[in-house]
Amino acid sequence: MIKNKNLTGPQSVTANRLADGVVVFLTADSQWSPRVSDSAVAQDAATAAALMAIAGKAAADRIVVAPYLFEVGVEGVVVRPLSARESIRAKGPTVEEREPASLG
Amino acid sequence: MPLLKGGVVAVDRWQCAANGETLPADGPVIVPFVRWRAERETLIGRNAPVGVRLTNTDPVADLAPDLDRLELIVLEFPKFTDGRAYSQARLLRERYGYRGELRAAGNVLRDQLLFMQRCGFDAFELTQGQPVQAWVAATNEFTVFYQPAGDGRNSAMQLRRAAILAN
Amino acid sequence: MYVYDGYDQTFLEERVAQFRDQVRRRLAGDLSEDEFKPLRLTNGLYLQLHAYMLRVAIPYGTLSAAQLRQLAHVARRYDKGFGHFTTRQNIQYHWMKLEQVPDALADLARVQMHGLQTSGNCIRNVTADHWAGVAADEIEDPRVYCEIVRQWSTLHPEFSFLPRKFKIAITGSPNDRAAVRVHDIGLRMHRNAEGEVGFEVMVGGGLGRTPIIARTIRDFLPKRHLLSYLEAILRVYNQLGRRDNIYKARIKILVHELGVAKMAEMVEAEWRSLKDGPLALPAEEIARIQAHFTPPVYPDSPVFTPEFDALRLSDAGFRRWLKVNVAPHRQLGYAIVTLSLKPEGGVPGDMTADQMDAVAALADRHSFGEVRVTHTQNLVLPHVRRADLPALWRGLSELGLATANIGQVTDIIACPGLDYCALANARSIPVAQRITQRFSDLARVHDIGELKIKISGCINACGHHHVGHIGILGVDKGGEEFYQITLGGSEDQNASLGAIVGPAVPNEVIVDAVQTVIETYLSLRRPQERFLDTYRRVGMAPFKERLYAAA
């Protein structure tokens, strides 16, 4: 599934792990990492398509679900998502997550 | 593709004759709804069983006067998420009293089989290569139903009422 | 409240077993995601921005203390220790694991709860007035009919693959607290000239991309025909509703395209064939369900006690809380208490497992073990002795659930937005948090008076922004969050849709913009005028002028 067909520039692939739903990113050695910084980066459409082919196989093998490409910025070794949506997806909600409060 | 009927894989003795195709000389034949409308007299005069295949926008009410002449009606699920044929099935069974075979065709999946059966379907053209036991099991996943529908099963309300009246 | 009998419990256990098998088949590869998705959605299980999200139905917003404790258990055991109450009186858990969901549903089934039909293109969980059964202005308890509709709609074989989702709401009071006019079907109970109670039937309301106020297709429907009439409406919709375009698939578009007169005619024609069939409701069956909703026996209790009087005199905080969080009960000496899930800086509708357990204990002590969930994302204790109000207020204050802001500027409805939702274009929760921080002074909040702010993170309008007195819609402009402001919406018996003030404003200034709107109101209002009254009197112009003057 490609959410935005008009992607340009460097891209990476994200998905959710099928069994527990954790957000994961496709790495250069075809593994899935929960850290966006581990993402393989495609600099051109052909490489992006190749990454999606690997992701599609992982979906068929029931490792992940709903993989798609998203745009990233690369500075040195740091990979970060460009859009607000993907940034929140990579880092988690921007609102404080409430842990069970102590009462008393 | 296998035809599930009465909990077993049945032999499908029907042939299809699409619009413009030559009708087979004898034997049971299924024609599209438009062809039935156009060639009704010929089809009745054939002296062999006739079935009609409806798309899910064809008006089932138009078939009402002829239901006694039809041994088979096929309703289509172009996608399993398109639920129009459920209404067609209930209208045929419950409003117009159709008693012949009511067959589900198209994207017929195991997880919708019970809904189809409840709406009055009694034959299913299967699309997946699963053992028959799995399909039959899918129609036995529930013993409690909340609605009166085309399959004649009692709803929970009807059973509660009967229990109260019996005491 | 309704208690399951053997049929209901058997059904629910069979349903849990069925879903367990569906999950097993998905994990084993017998079901593709495309095939599994509608199955999991029918069970309230989404794949959201970060994880699986499970939405649990709270039918017509009524909960027992035992059920609330089980919701706390699910939050602790299967999620991150909290849950989020939604604008449809449900609760959702944002961090579920697919492989554990069958166990969570089995735990919920033990207290007669489930995720059935909280999503998918089916008849959704039926909602009602959160004051049902206790409101002073009520004609009849709508939950009796909600329960009848719940049963009828549960795994309905004909209506499980509709063109789109389908929402029904019922109010039993002339003052509509269930927003029935923005539902696919809204039912309003009233008395006809003969004194008989029945339903006004409205269809085609809804928010989303094309907000429409529902139109009446029948002024009076006798109770006996409730289900046959609903079945007639659904059958017309199932056959004729558009399936070619997801944005035009709701019944409101069908009603719009056919015209309300034609829609009514088709429904009535279908109904004539159904009305005296097996769906007709015998009076005894209505009475049987009604018996489940018999109010508790209220022991006599004083309207005022020395402690109550003393606290009211001495404590401004208690007075403020009494004024907006406590409402008249039909029983003398009792009150309806709303628990605010909108503390300053909090996430609207969020509650920790510990808070849930503590509220369950308070419900046992002070409210006959009963709790309600409101579509405004708060909780209600429906039967509180007025003599207990001081103790309850102290208990709720310790829990952070006594913010005296119900119906006020900081009682904000907000969808989960881009922080959690895969569909959102912008965040909602942080905007709500910043507004509550800007208006943290409760004296100022009470001076502003009744004001309903509703925030949606996308055009699907889960935050009901169209019917907010001030509505805020998040939009994406080139990857940046912007917010469009609407004014003058209302969801009550005089429902209206808000009008857009002007171009969307950037995230940095949205709270300033809300403040400007409120200050404009304060400068224009006449004595006793609420925000909505002033807006309806003066119109959009002065607000627009002040908002965009600087630009």
Side-chain angles (χ1 to χ4, degrees):
Chain A
M1 178 170 50
I2 296 173
K3 299 223 165 151
N4 184 348
K5 295 189 177 74
N6 305 316
L7 295 183
T8 54
Q11 296 161 36
S12 295
V13 175
T14 183
N16 294 77
R17 270 202 311 247
L18 174 66
D20 64 9
V22 169
V23 171
V24 286
F25 301 90
L26 182 62
T27 67
D29 54 356
S30 303
Q31 302 297 304
W32 294 91
S33 166
R35 286 175 301 276
V36 68
S37 54
D38 295 340
S39 299
V41 177
Q43 299 289 350
D44 55 65
T47 317
L51 288 180
M52 274 305 286
I54 295 167
K57 169 120 187 2
D61 291 343
R62 309 186 305 280
I63 296 162
V64 297
V65 60
Y68 62 92
L69 290 162
F70 66 101
E71 287 179 309
V72 295
V74 184
E75 289 163 26
V77 293
V78 180
V79 180
R80 56 176 184 82
L82 291 186
S83 72
R85 180 187 198 275
E86 295 309 326
S87 184
I88 291 170
R89 186 170 147 90
K91 285 188 240 165
T94 64
V95 296
E96 181 194 358
E97 256 178 48
R98 293 213 254 167
E99 294 301 325
S102 62
L103 300 175
Chain B
M1 73 194 67
L3 178 70
L4 184 73
K5 202 178 170 188
V8 294
V9 173
V11 177
D12 188 358
R13 61 194 181 98
W14 293 82
Q15 302 176 71
C16 296
N19 299 319
E21 281 181 14
T22 313
L23 285 175
D26 50 25
V29 67
I30 304 169
V31 296
F33 178 68
V34 283
R35 184 162 191 181
W36 166 258
R37 272 219 282 224
E39 301 172 34
R40 180 175 172 278
E41 302 308 321
T42 315
L43 287 158
I44 291 169
R46 242 178 109 251
N47 265 331
V50 183
V52 176
R53 184 177 179 117
L54 277 70
T55 69
N56 62 16
T57 53
D58 289 333
V60 293
D62 288 13
L63 280 183
D66 290 321
L67 288 176
D68 287 345
R69 302 175 200 276
L70 300 176
E71 288 191 24
L72 171 70
I73 295 177
V74 183
L75 298 178
E76 294 177 1
F77 291 87
K79 290 182 295 186
F80 74 90
T81 50
D82 184 334
R84 283 177 276 202
Y86 293 112
S87 289
Q88 289 177 310
R90 289 195 67 196
L91 287 169
L92 284 168
R93 287 287 195 222
E94 295 169 61
R95 176 130 341 136
Y96 305 117
Y98 174 62
R99 290 283 159 259
E101 179 179 325
L102 189 56
R103 186 184 288 191
N107 195 195
V108 177
L109 304 179
R110 153 181 180 173
D111 292 285
Q112 285 76 49
L113 215 60
L114 181 57
F115 289 138
M116 292 176 186
Q117 194 190 56
R118 294 224 61 219
C119 287
F121 288 97
D122 57 2
F124 310 91
E125 289 182 3
L126 306 183
T127 48
Q128 291 169 319
Q130 286 189 13
V132 171
Q133 304 91 290
W135 291 88
V136 175
T139 61
N140 291 316
E141 283 173 336
F142 289 92
T143 59
V144 177
F145 304 93
Y146 282 112
Q147 311 80 12
D151 60 347
R153 286 175 166 115
N154 283 312
S155 69
M157 185 170 92
Q158 288 166 324
L159 294 172
R160 285 168 181 142
R161 299 273 305 142
I164 291 165
L165 293 173
N167 287 321
Chain C
M1 43 188 292
Y2 185 74
V3 178
Y4 278 18
D5 66 5
Y7 295 115
D8 298 307
Q9 192 64 35
T10 301
F11 169 83
L12 190 52
E13 285 165 14
E14 288 170 345
R15 176 60 181 169
V16 171
Q18 181 192 42
F19 190 63
R20 193 181 288 282
D21 186 55
Q22 288 168 345
V23 171
R24 181 191 63 71
R25 286 189 282 136
R26 173 70 183 109
L27 293 172
D30 294 342
L31 280 173
S32 70
E33 184 61 16
D34 283 349
E35 289 163 356
F36 181 60
K37 188 176 173 185
L39 304 178
R40 65 168 161 77
L41 287 178
T42 305
N43 245 315
L45 188 64
Y46 287 74
L47 185 58
Q48 279 292 18
L49 190 63
H50 304 289
Y52 290 102
M53 181 270 275
L54 178 67
R55 186 179 292 152
V56 177
I58 300 172
Y60 34 91
T62 297
L63 271 176
S64 68
Q67 289 175 323
L68 186 55
R69 285 193 186 91
Q70 195 73 338
L71 293 179
H73 158 78
V74 169
R76 275 194 198 97
R77 173 113 181 229
Y78 303 102
D79 204 274
K80 294 190 175 182
F82 71 102
H84 174 77
F85 289 99
T86 76
T87 52
R88 296 205 75 254
Q89 300 181 307
N90 295 320
I91 187 171
Q92 56 197 36
Y93 299 102
H94 289 292
W95 301 96
M96 299 297 285
K97 296 179 170 66
L98 175 60
E99 53 199 357
Q100 292 184 345
V101 170
D103 290 339
L105 291 173
D107 288 356
L108 288 167
R110 274 185 219 123
V111 293
Q112 312 182 349
M113 298 191 83
H114 55 74
L116 253 178
Q117 290 170 225
T118 56
S119 178
N121 293 335
C122 54
I123 301 167
R124 300 288 188 88
N125 181 39
V126 182
T127 55
D129 183 353
H130 43 260
W131 290 353
V134 292
D137 59 359
E138 185 171 277
I139 295 162
E140 213 176 289
D141 191 334
R143 294 174 302 166
V144 173
Y145 306 95
C146 289
E147 174 56 29
I148 290 169
V149 173
R150 183 193 74 79
Q151 296 193 20
W152 162 79
S153 63
T154 295
L155 290 192
H156 196 297
E158 184 179 349
F159 305 134
S160 288
F161 293 92
L162 295 168
R164 198 79 176 83
K165 58 187 167 183
F166 202 93
K167 300 174 181 176
I168 301 174
I170 310 181
T171 176
S173 297
N175 297 303
D176 179 9
R177 288 172 291 265
V180 302
R181 282 171 177 76
V182 291
H183 282 75
D184 295 285
I185 295 178
L187 298 169
R188 182 182 70 88
M189 303 198 76
H190 67 112
R191 246 176 245 289
N192 66 5
E194 287 75 48
E196 187 193 351
V197 175
F199 305 93
E200 177 189 353
V201 182
M202 294 161 265
V203 298
L207 299 174
R209 190 169 294 253
T210 315
I212 297 180
I213 303 291
R215 303 284 301 272
T216 300
I217 57 166
R218 181 169 255 274
D219 288 320
F220 188 85
L221 178 72
K223 295 169 183 175
R224 173 180 170 75
H225 299 305
L226 175 62
L227 294 184
S228 57
Y229 205 82
L230 293 181
E231 188 135 308
I233 296 171
L234 266 297
R235 182 167 286 165
V236 169
Y237 171 57
N238 188 44
Q239 294 185 100
L240 298 181
R242 287 181 60 171
R243 293 173 187 264
D244 59 329
N245 180 340
I246 188 175
Y247 300 117
K248 296 187 174 175
R250 296 286 288 268
I251 196 175
K252 61 191 172 188
I253 304 296
L254 179 64
V255 174
H256 179 74
E257 289 180 354
L258 287 175
V260 69
K262 178 70 180 164
M263 182 74 192
E265 185 190 313
M266 294 181 78
V267 168
E268 293 278 328
E270 182 61 37
W271 179 56
R272 278 192 288 277
S273 301
L274 292 170
K275 66 194 279 264
D276 298 311
L279 284 172
L281 284 169
E284 302 81 18
E285 175 63 12
I286 296 175
R288 190 184 73 81
I289 303 281
Q290 234 152 13
H292 285 280
F293 294 95
T294 309
V297 177
Y298 299 105
D300 282 346
S301 190
V303 176
F304 296 104
T305 60
E307 189 200 6
F308 180 98
D309 290 340
L311 190 62
R312 195 166 59 155
L313 274 174
S314 66
D315 197 305
F318 184 60
R319 280 199 299 278
R320 275 193 206 104
W321 182 75
L322 284 178
K323 189 176 164 206
V324 298
N325 292 39
V326 178
H329 195 283
R330 58 164 55 162
Q331 179 71 30
L332 195 69
Y334 285 76
I336 304 168
V337 175
T338 304
L339 284 52
S340 173
L341 301 189
K342 319 289 177 65
E344 181 192 336
V347 177
D350 266 20
M351 200 171 192
T352 66
D354 287 359
Q355 284 176 320
M356 292 180 210
D357 278 338
V359 169
L362 290 173
D364 278 334
R365 200 173 312 140
H366 297 296
S367 183
F368 297 85
E370 197 179 318
V371 183
R372 305 288 178 81
V373 182
T374 77
H375 79 272
T376 56
Q377 302 178 286
N378 292 308
L379 297 188
V380 166
L381 295 182
H383 321 279
V384 179
R385 283 178 293 269
R386 286 178 56 88
D388 288 354
L389 288 173
L392 179 60
W393 176 66
R394 289 189 193 100
L396 291 173
S397 298
E398 279 174 29
L399 296 169
L401 299 172
T403 311
N405 63 351
I406 300 306
Q408 312 298 300
V409 58
T410 51
D411 184 10
I412 299 168
I413 287 185
C415 71
L418 193 52
D419 283 299
Y420 291 98
C421 179
L423 300 173
N425 292 319
R427 288 172 293 164
S428 304
I429 296 166
V431 175
Q433 289 174 315
R434 284 155 57 206
I435 294 172
T436 61
Q437 284 156 349
R438 181 71 60 93
F439 294 93
S440 60
D441 175 0
L442 278 172
R444 184 178 174 214
V445 165
H446 279 235
D447 175 52
I448 294 166
E450 185 184 303
L451 178 48
K452 295 177 178 175
I453 299 181
K454 300 180 195 285
I455 308 174
S456 304
C458 80
I459 194 66
N460 290 311
C462 296
H464 300 179
H465 66 278
H466 298 295
V467 288
H469 298 172
I470 299 176
I472 299 175
L473 167 66
V475 293
D476 176 345
K477 278 197 181 180
E480 307 257 331
E481 295 164 298
F482 273 67
Y483 295 90
Q484 191 178 72
I485 299 170
T486 52
L487 298 178
S490 171
E491 64 188 358
D492 63 11
Q493 59 281 2
N494 302 312
S496 56
L497 298 170
I500 296 169
V501 190
V505 302
N507 185 30
E508 299 77 53
V509 302
I510 178 63
V511 179
D512 294 333
V514 168
Q515 187 174 341
T516 301
V517 168
I518 291 169
E519 283 168 357
T520 306
Y521 151 66
L522 293 175
S523 70
L524 293 171
R525 73 173 166 188
R526 291 176 178 166
Q528 310 304 318
E529 241 180 18
R530 301 167 309 158
F531 175 87
L532 191 60
D533 304 325
T534 301
Y535 174 80
R536 284 177 174 167
R537 177 172 59 79
V538 305
M540 178 68 83
F543 294 96
K544 184 170 184 143
E545 214 165 276
R546 286 277 290 275
L547 256 184
Y548 294 97

